[in-house]
Amino acid sequence: MLLVLLLWLWVAGVSYGLGHALAGPRLAPTLPPELRLAVGLAGLSWLLALLSFGLSIGPGVQLGLTAAAVGYGFWCLLKAPAVVRQTWWVELRASWQEPGWLGAVALALVFGALLLLHAAQMPILSDTGLYHAQTVQWLQTYPVVPGLGNLHGRLAFNSHLHLLTGFFSARANGPWASLGQQAASSFWFVLLISYAARQLARPRPAAVLAVYGGLSLVFVFIAFRPWISSPMPDSGVTILTLLVLGWLLEKLLAPGGSVQLSRAEAGLLVALLATAVTYKASAGYLALPLGFALWRLRPTNLSMPRLVGLACLIGALVALPWLGRNVVLSGYPVYPLAPWAALPLDWTVPATQAVADLLEIRYFARWPAGDWVTGGHQPALAWVPFWWRQQAPHDQVLALIIVALALLLALRQLLSPARQQRSATVLFGLLLACCGLWFAAAPAFRFGYGYLIGAAAVGAALLAGGLPGDPWLRRAVLALALVYGLNGLRHEIGAFSPATWFRPAPYAALPIASTRLEGRPVRLGIRGSGFRCNNCPLPCAAGRLPPDLHWRGPRISQGFRRGLE
């Protein structure tokens, strides 16, 4: 656990420096501190994606970028005028005198301890064993490998969050054996805890933001607690989405009316949306609510044609390295979501495998814990009831909350339309549309927690905003969060292993089969371990190798291809 704390300091230092560098001296001080650090992480993932075409994420890249980012961050702190530092100290002292500061500190301590206990545990997510850990190894050992998806289709599922995991962790074949693979993914939870605590401790805070922050925190911990130690992209993109939605809510519901975005803020919003897509392609649905917010809060001196041009330019700039990595890994711009878009490259994954991987995502989401190959073809009247019965209780509760909030807010809008919340209500409606698109495409809750939890938190916040008694609402949310956090601590402390006091638990060692591909060894996950490779040495694939798989050259970094000799 002590090493996890040090790793969080590493992540914070790098993200602070890069966040200031990318946002610039004018925009950076105006951003919420959590969003400023998220901007730094987003920029780091983009920069690593560019470097990955020619370099592995090894010690040279780690040390060089860390020194540059942390050094720039210290320079920004020292360069800040004395009046700025004095203002910061005065504001901090004033916040201690507000009635909500004690509850906010208690919230941060309880959830921080709960997060630390989970971050020190062994990674257990099945997908992490199947390909997350192996993907990080490939990133740390080689530049992007052509046709890696031919070895195992999931190795072509290109998430830029894995680049962050690789940057903030040690190599698997070194003495520290992947230490730090929990750091980047768990640091997103640190940002969410900080955001929720700030909303509850703000001087004269709005009930809307306090309810939004508190419920977002509780929902995210309920959804992801068992997997905090696993380097998964789902939690990171969910928390990034919630931080952006909170920022926009604050602008939409400002006391004196909506606060327009500056040009820099409009560009930042587009860049963060594009970054979310590079983290998880299903985040593309967020173009609906975030696009509306961009239109509603667009700068007054920026015409619509120029706004659209700016959005296209920034979106393309952020997405191009991701598209390029997709092409190198699989031969498709977006694998496997566009199986018809195969490029004529010798390493391109066969279209039949791309279609099979796409159908597996969709049908397994519709027919979990069953024969998804045939179940996914069932009509909605058959698969929807089966799907509902297989969901975890907390996911069922989340879905029911979203439906109930939609009905209540629609009823309130019909009876007494609230002018101040009209734009925020439209934002909530577009989040509901995202939920509908998710349900129609691939309704696995992990794929859509960003807009599912976002819809629940925004809907509850808007409903609370129309109720009397702001202080009581804030206290109720704080009490709910503390009860949940303390109950979680009670369970985790009882199961705490002293072996993780200094460093987090490593991956479980699984039995691995060995085979040879054209005379060279390849490892295979076996059925008894769920076909998982975990953190075993490269190369390793889940299950049997395709019969037409070949090396592209004498070096592993040259990748794999499929077809006849």
Side-chain angles (χ1 to χ4, degrees), residues 501-515:
W501 178 254
F502 179 67
R503 59 168 293 170
Y507 285 91
L510 298 176
I512 300 295
S514 294
T515 186

Side-chain angles (χ1 to χ4, degrees), residues 206-404:
V208 173
L209 295 173
V211 170
Y212 174 81
L215 292 185
S216 295
L217 180 64
V218 172
F219 279 138
V220 166
F221 265 81
I222 289 174
F224 291 113
R225 254 184 66 192
W227 305 323
I228 285 175
S229 60
S230 301
M232 60 187 301
D234 309 80
S235 56
V237 74
T238 296
I239 295 172
L240 176 61
T241 300
L242 294 172
L243 293 176
V244 171
L245 288 174
W247 180 49
L248 294 176
L249 269 183
E250 192 165 351
K251 288 186 172 293
L252 287 169
L253 299 175
S258 298
V259 178
Q260 303 303 114
L261 295 167
S262 66
R263 290 196 179 200
E265 289 174 331
L268 176 64
L269 180 60
V270 175
L272 290 176
L273 172 60
T275 299
V277 174
T278 67
Y279 289 172
K280 200 166 184 68
S282 58
Y285 295 143
L286 290 169
L288 291 174
L290 300 191
F292 164 76
L294 180 62
W295 172 81
R296 178 65 182 82
L297 302 174
R298 64 189 182 278
T300 54
N301 59 347
L302 189 64
S303 64
M304 279 303 298
R306 289 188 176 184
L307 178 63
V308 172
L310 176 69
C312 292
L313 178 63
I314 295 175
L317 180 66
V318 174
L320 276 176
W322 178 66
L323 295 173
R325 282 182 48 82
N326 281 329
V327 169
V328 178
L329 288 169
S330 66
Y332 296 80
V334 185
Y335 183 88
L337 302 184
W340 61 85
L343 298 175
L345 304 167
D346 74 306
W347 66 77
T348 297
V349 174
T352 52
Q353 178 180 317
V355 171
D357 284 344
L358 178 60
L359 292 179
E360 179 177 356
I361 293 171
R362 179 179 301 163
Y363 292 160
F364 182 81
R366 292 181 178 179
W367 204 264
D371 183 8
W372 60 266
V373 177
T374 57
H377 294 278
Q378 298 293 325
L381 290 177
W383 72 258
V384 170
F386 183 86
W387 168 84
W388 178 256
R389 291 194 298 270
Q390 303 304 310
Q391 302 310 312
H394 62 261
D395 288 333
Q396 293 177 336
V397 170
L398 178 62
L400 293 175
I401 288 175
I402 293 172
V403 173

Side-chain angles (χ1 to χ4, degrees), residues 58-94:
V61 171
Q62 292 169 310
L63 292 174
L65 289 181
T66 296
V70 174
Y72 182 79
F74 273 117
W75 181 75
C76 288
L77 288 174
L78 296 175
K79 184 185 175 184
V83 65
V84 174
R85 292 193 292 269
Q86 291 171 2
T87 302
W88 175 82
W89 176 245
V90 169
E91 291 177 351
L92 182 62
R93 289 181 59 187

Side-chain angles (χ1 to χ4, degrees), residues 59 103 171 178 271 313 318 351 397 406 423-424 455 467 494 500 538 542:
R171 285 188 175 184
S178 294
L313 178 63
V318 174
V397 170
S423 295
L467 299 176
T500 62
L538 302 178

Side-chain angles (χ1 to χ4, degrees), residues 100-101 103-104 107 195-202 205 210-211 214 474 477-478:
W101 77 269
L107 183 81
Y195 175 79
R198 274 199 319 107
Q199 299 313 313
L200 290 164
R202 291 174 64 182
V211 170
R474 295 199 306 274
V477 171
L478 176 62

